[in-house]
Amino acid sequence: MQILGISAYYHDSAAALIRDGIVVAAAQEERFTRKKQDSRFPRAAVRFCLEAAMHSPIDHVVFFDKPFLKFERILETYLSFAPKGFATFRAGLPVWAKEKLFQRSLLMKELDELAPGRFPSDSLLFSEHHLSHAASAFYPSPFDEAVVLTMDGVGEWATTSVAIGNGSKLRVIRELLFPHSLGLLYSAFTSYAGFRVNSGEYKLMGLAPYGEPRFSGVIREHLVDVKDDGSFRLNQRYFNYCTGLSMTNARFHALFGRPPRPPESPIEDFHADVAASIQQVTEDIVLRMTRALAKETGQKNLCLAGGVALNCVANGKIAADGAFEKVWVQPAAGDAGGAIGAALAAYHLHTKAARQICHPDAMNACALGPEFSPEEVEAALATAGARFTVVSNEALFDETAVALAAGEVVGWFQGRMEFGPRALGNRSILGDPRRTDMQKKLNLKIKFRESFRPFAPSVLAEAAADWFDVSATHSPYMQTVTTVAEKRRTISAQHAASHHGLKDQYLVRSVIPAVTHTDFSARVQTVCAKENLRYHMLLKAFEKLTGCPVLINTSFNVRNEPIVCTPAEAFACFMATDMDRLVVGNAVLRKVEQDSALAFDYSSRFALD
């Protein structure tokens, strides 16, 4: 049985194909259209999944939420706040009505244009938003039983939900409803700090360790009332997202004594303190939730999904807390992952199919997107005007390791494109974490982004515990933050604590300074040979040469560009940045050998995030 899952029309549209309960293909639309977080119907991603179906029947198509319920929430929200926001409501009503009330016909029209006659109208199903998230977290997990916690901005009505998974069964037992939303609370501070909602939350999280949480009390006193079990209510007097076009209002700004930071303006200690404060409050809320759920249910395992589950710092606190013995986070925890969850929910809950548990999980290391044969790679590079050499595997890994150890920045393009927000060694930019200048170089010369943003380390799974404070050596998706092992640090905790502000961001804190954040934290990816053989072989070659089993791994793109999908896009990004070397499969390109006329700055194509 094959089921196609679709998420669309909010942000980060995607499509996924499952075959007999196993995810075989998944991709975000942005990777094909080159429009970051493309929200349109995922035409190209669906086409990719249909190709993966190999002309076999598609038994069901499942949309990741219920549009009519979402429209009901929009309508009731505006009526409850009337007459406030009436102008916005009146302007948006025709669009909402078209998109929500007639979405079945819109979806069928799109599908029929892609594959005429392939999808009968009765093949289209609708899942609920939080059920899709919960299914994306539980069914691919390695657990037979688990509590599933979903936290995001808002689905139809739910903003936080709790489900219990058991075998092939999944049942939502509790929900917190809009407008009380942890995701929207965090996004309000993202907007206030001058970052873009739905993409700048990573920046706020990365900025937090540079600040002091001196506004935590203000947030708890005025903005959010938190109970012992983690349930909460937001004081809507300080927010504008229910009826307006902004997240916060003048009362919110007065509470903190400043207007919102204009985008791209200087970041000050004040903004770091705001970030630290909301991060602390967020961690407190989720820890209260998880501790209460563990005590209430007696379950040993926890699964996480929804946009808040992309807060890897909070995830790390949950894992370290120990209320649950094991924690598994859906790597595509945001709305893109809803495409997988919708398909899996239909397979197990609608068709009543049995579940097959996979170890370490059923996400195939997120290598679910397009891949390119050696012939396709060479043809694409030749067409682009690239000058390259094809080398053997034996030479490839050793030569790349030598280049990295010499300080080169390497674009690394291998195998199937990853699904989700992280590059995991297939569409990555790599560097030597031991170099004190590498973090700054990557941020300013390669990614064209803010200098304070940290980079994640990839480490050989078998060496992870020797370099990082990890409770388990399996963390393949960069979904939790831990700390650099004390024996790898070069300054004391006391020294670091007194020098953690923005002015001290380049202070060398460990023997791998380029992946050590100001508080010694690191968003670790462990790499196993079974899950990513070629990346593992490169790390082994680098370890053999340097004694260090760690590399910097950041996504293969410039700021606000989607991660590259094709060899041609990889070459364009390579030529537009200060990358020194590009490796696509076994094709090796050195910058000094390229035609300089092909170099151009295309970063201006992409709206700043």
Side-chain angles (χ1 to χ4, degrees), residues 285-502:
I285 291 172
V286 297
L287 284 172
R288 290 190 190 200
M289 283 186 191
T290 52
R291 290 166 182 166
L293 288 171
K295 184 177 181 180
E296 174 190 341
T297 66
Q299 293 282 345
K300 305 298 184 184
N301 304 317
L302 174 68
C303 298
L304 296 171
V308 176
L310 292 172
N311 192 311
C312 52
V313 178
N315 293 346
K317 297 290 178 65
I318 293 170
D321 185 58
F324 287 92
E325 292 180 6
K326 296 181 180 178
V327 179
W328 192 84
V329 185
Q330 164 55 241
D335 279 1
I340 288 177
L344 289 171
Y347 183 71
H348 294 295
L349 302 179
H350 179 74
T351 72
K352 308 296 184 184
R355 177 174 171 230
Q356 176 183 340
I357 298 176
C358 300
H359 294 278
D361 59 54
M363 284 298 292
N364 193 35
C366 280
L368 298 167
E371 62 182 331
F372 301 87
S373 68
E375 294 77 18
E376 289 172 322
V377 167
E378 292 173 32
L381 293 175
T383 299
R387 297 167 182 167
F388 60 93
T389 304
V390 178
V391 302
S392 67
N393 278 341
E394 184 178 31
L396 178 74
F397 300 112
D398 288 341
E399 289 178 8
T400 306
V402 168
L404 287 163
E408 289 191 21
V409 176
V410 177
W412 184 253
F413 185 110
Q414 305 288 328
R416 298 185 69 176
M417 179 179 69
E418 301 95 336
F419 182 64
R422 315 290 190 207
L424 300 169
N426 288 5
R427 302 289 187 274
S428 293
I429 298 173
L430 308 177
D432 184 347
R434 303 169 304 155
R435 300 184 70 91
T436 58
D437 63 339
M438 189 56 69
Q439 189 255 2
K440 185 175 183 179
K441 179 180 179 179
L442 283 170
N443 268 329
L444 301 182
K445 299 291 187 180
I446 311 294
K447 303 287 282 189
F448 305 126
R449 69 185 198 182
E450 299 90 348
S451 62
F452 71 84
R453 294 174 65 177
F455 287 102
S458 294
V459 59
L460 290 170
E462 57 269 33
D466 191 43
W467 287 77
F468 301 97
D469 299 321
V470 291
S471 56
T473 56
H474 191 258
S475 178
Y477 301 123
M478 295 185 182
Q479 284 294 69
T480 59
V481 163
T482 183
T483 48
V484 174
E486 189 168 349
K487 68 179 179 179
R488 304 295 178 182
R489 302 177 187 180
T490 55
I491 62 173
S492 68
Q494 292 78 10
H495 187 194
S498 61
H499 294 81
H500 75 284
L502 287 166

Side-chain angles (χ1 to χ4, degrees), residues 521-551:
S521 64
R523 176 165 49 91
V524 175
Q525 176 200 8
T526 58
V527 180
C528 300
K530 181 180 177 181
E531 295 169 349
N532 194 329
L533 179 59
R534 291 177 71 81
Y535 195 29
H536 188 271
M537 291 175 71
L538 177 61
L539 281 159
K540 286 291 287 185
F542 188 74
E543 180 191 39
K544 182 179 179 181
L545 180 67
T546 67
C548 176
V550 183
L551 286 173

Side-chain angles (χ1 to χ4, degrees), residues 142-430:
F143 308 140
D144 183 57
E145 290 184 89
V147 173
V148 187
L149 178 60
T150 296
M151 302 169 286
D152 64 4
V154 61
E156 293 90 0
W157 277 102
T159 65
T160 301
S161 66
V162 178
I164 301 295
N166 188 333
S168 60
K169 298 177 182 178
L170 182 64
R171 180 171 57 94
V172 176
I173 62 170
R174 189 176 308 146
E175 294 179 329
L176 184 65
L177 304 182
F178 183 86
H180 307 293
S181 165
L182 185 57
L184 291 177
L185 175 65
Y186 204 88
S187 291
F189 279 87
T190 299
S191 175
Y192 181 65
F195 305 128
R196 182 184 293 180
V197 170
N198 293 327
S199 66
E201 285 79 4
Y202 296 124
K203 299 183 185 183
L204 196 70
M205 182 177 64
L207 182 60
Y210 292 110
E212 301 289 346
R214 60 188 177 97
F215 298 112
S216 296
V218 173
I219 295 170
R220 292 186 177 96
E221 180 180 354
H222 295 279
L223 302 185
V224 56
D225 178 25
V226 186
K227 305 303 182 186
D228 289 342
D229 64 356
S231 60
F232 60 90
R233 293 182 66 83
L234 300 186
N235 186 346
Q236 291 303 309
R237 295 175 68 246
Y238 292 90
F239 301 97
N240 200 38
Y241 57 77
C242 282
T243 58
L245 298 177
S246 61
M247 295 299 297
T248 58
N249 59 25
R251 186 177 286 111
F252 183 104
H253 310 154
L255 185 64
F256 293 95
R258 288 196 185 189
R261 170 181 162 262
E264 305 310 308
S265 63
I267 295 173
E268 303 173 20
D269 289 340
F270 168 83
H271 305 110
D273 293 346
V274 166
S277 301
I278 189 56
Q279 180 65 31
Q280 185 183 80
V281 171
T282 298
E283 292 168 10
D284 175 57
I285 291 172
V286 297
L287 284 172
R288 290 190 190 200
M289 283 186 191
T290 52
R291 290 166 182 166
L293 288 171
K295 184 177 181 180
E296 174 190 341
T297 66
Q299 293 282 345
K300 305 298 184 184
N301 304 317
L302 174 68
C303 298
L304 296 171
V308 176
L310 292 172
N311 192 311
C312 52
V313 178
N315 293 346
K317 297 290 178 65
I318 293 170
D321 185 58
F324 287 92
E325 292 180 6
K326 296 181 180 178
V327 179
W328 192 84
V329 185
Q330 164 55 241
D335 279 1
I340 288 177
L344 289 171
Y347 183 71
H348 294 295
L349 302 179
H350 179 74
T351 72
K352 308 296 184 184
R355 177 174 171 230
Q356 176 183 340
I357 298 176
C358 300
H359 294 278
D361 59 54
M363 284 298 292
N364 193 35
C366 280
L368 298 167
E371 62 182 331
F372 301 87
S373 68
E375 294 77 18
E376 289 172 322
V377 167
E378 292 173 32
L381 293 175
T383 299
R387 297 167 182 167
F388 60 93
T389 304
V390 178
V391 302
S392 67
N393 278 341
E394 184 178 31
L396 178 74
F397 300 112
D398 288 341
E399 289 178 8
T400 306
V402 168
L404 287 163
E408 289 191 21
V409 176
V410 177
W412 184 253
F413 185 110
Q414 305 288 328
R416 298 185 69 176
M417 179 179 69
E418 301 95 336
F419 182 64
R422 315 290 190 207
L424 300 169
N426 288 5
R427 302 289 187 274
S428 293
I429 298 173
L430 308 177

Side-chain angles (χ1 to χ4, degrees), residues 116-155:
R118 189 168 184 178
F119 302 101
S121 60
D122 61 357
S123 69
L124 181 59
L125 306 173
F126 292 85
S127 176
E128 289 197 26
H129 189 98
H130 270 231
L131 180 62
S132 296
H133 276 313
S136 79
F138 176 62
Y139 290 125
S141 79
F143 308 140
D144 183 57
E145 290 184 89
V147 173
V148 187
L149 178 60
T150 296
M151 302 169 286
D152 64 4
V154 61

